[in-house]
Amino acid sequence: MAVRNAPNAPRRRSGVAVLVLVLAVVGLIAGVVLVGWEDDGARRADNSLTPADVARNTPVPQPAPLQPGLDLTAWAAGVAERSHVPARALRAYGAAELSERAATPGCRLSWTTLAAIGRVESDHGQLGRAALGADGVPRPLIIGVPLDGSRGTKEIRDTDGGRLDGDRIYDRAVGPMQFLPTTWTRYGADGNGDGVRDPFQMDDAAAAAAAYLCADGRDTASGAGWWDGVLTYNRSVSYARLVWAAADRYAGAAAP
């Protein structure tokens, strides 16, 4: 599947400093340690998961599913006050839940899981000096460190000629949901309906993350399905625990 937005990425970056994620703990907020993880799925060199790690399969609490026809702007404004998630990001997560539930109802994906991934990956597009714009694009753009085998990363040589990440030597994860170029090629989505699939745009990135989590017939409302999906996104138990804790907190904030 071709990446239709690839030629647009360099133009959008012109005049905008590129934000490089720091792969380290940068804060402890609401009991969730924010880490700029290197990528999805295959990023880490650590493949030390054991059956006991995954056997826990503890399902994450989920709020009631969003209803079709929901006024996402009004909904996001209310939830933002309780969750401290930016309303613009919540609109993207909510829209992605509605779209994915329509496409794969058996997945039962909640916006809370998408928000939790967005929190851990990029603080909802606000990591470092970035600010999430009204158009859903963080500026400066969020681009991860080169996956060159250092700092605990798995070496991944360039796969896209630098079209998305600006690096022609190594791949880097990009955007608020931190997709590798190869993963974006497969799951990239047009969440805001503008005809372009852009990993730097929050609606598109959230919709792609939803499709990625729900792939292979997963039921993310079950313990096994949720853990399998999140561990596919990033094969690290500590990462999945951070996402679980954040999703649990957002589920608590969902109720009025």
Side-chain angles (χ1 to χ4, degrees), residues 17 34 50 70 73 77 84 93 111 121-122 125 132 150 165 177-178 193-194 208 213 215 218 241 244 252 254:
L34 176 62
T50 67
L70 175 70
T73 299
H84 307 293
Y93 302 141
W111 67 267
E121 293 287 358
S122 72
L132 185 63
S150 66
D165 56 18
M177 302 300 275
Q178 287 290 276
D194 66 353
L213 291 167
R218 296 189 192 96
R241 287 171 177 159
W244 196 102

Side-chain angles (χ1 to χ4, degrees), residues 2 14 16 40 60 73 89 95 105 117 128 132 165 167 173 192 211 220 223 234 239:
S14 62
V16 179
D40 49 333
V60 68
T73 299
I117 291 174
L132 185 63
D165 56 18
D167 191 331
N192 62 355
T220 61
N234 192 323
Y239 172 88

Side-chain angles (χ1 to χ4, degrees), residues 36-133:
W37 294 93
E38 305 85 7
D39 74 339
D40 49 333
R43 284 174 264 182
R44 294 190 62 80
D46 175 16
N47 291 315
S48 58
L49 294 179
T50 67
D53 288 323
V54 184
R56 291 185 310 258
N57 289 339
T58 306
V60 68
Q62 298 195 86
L66 302 181
Q67 296 302 305
L70 175 70
D71 183 339
L72 284 173
T73 299
W75 169 80
V79 175
E81 293 182 2
R82 300 187 296 272
S83 66
H84 307 293
V85 177
R88 182 62 186 85
L90 282 168
R91 281 168 47 198
Y93 302 141
E97 175 188 320
L98 289 170
S99 177
E100 195 60 39
R101 280 183 181 266
T104 58
C107 181
R108 300 191 291 171
L109 180 67
S110 173
W111 67 267
T112 54
T113 292
L114 296 170
I117 291 174
R119 172 68 179 93
V120 175
E121 293 287 358
S122 72
D123 193 16
H124 312 296
Q126 303 177 116
L127 188 62
R129 297 181 292 112
L132 185 63

Side-chain angles (χ1 to χ4, degrees), residues 4 19 24 26 36 42 53 68 76 101 105 125 129-130 136-137 153 172 180 186 190 207 209 211 220 229 232 253-254:
R4 290 165 50 198
L19 177 64
V26 298
D53 288 323
R101 280 183 181 266
R129 297 181 292 112
V137 178
T153 66
R172 301 175 182 232
L180 279 177
R186 182 174 182 183
D190 177 16
T220 61
T232 299

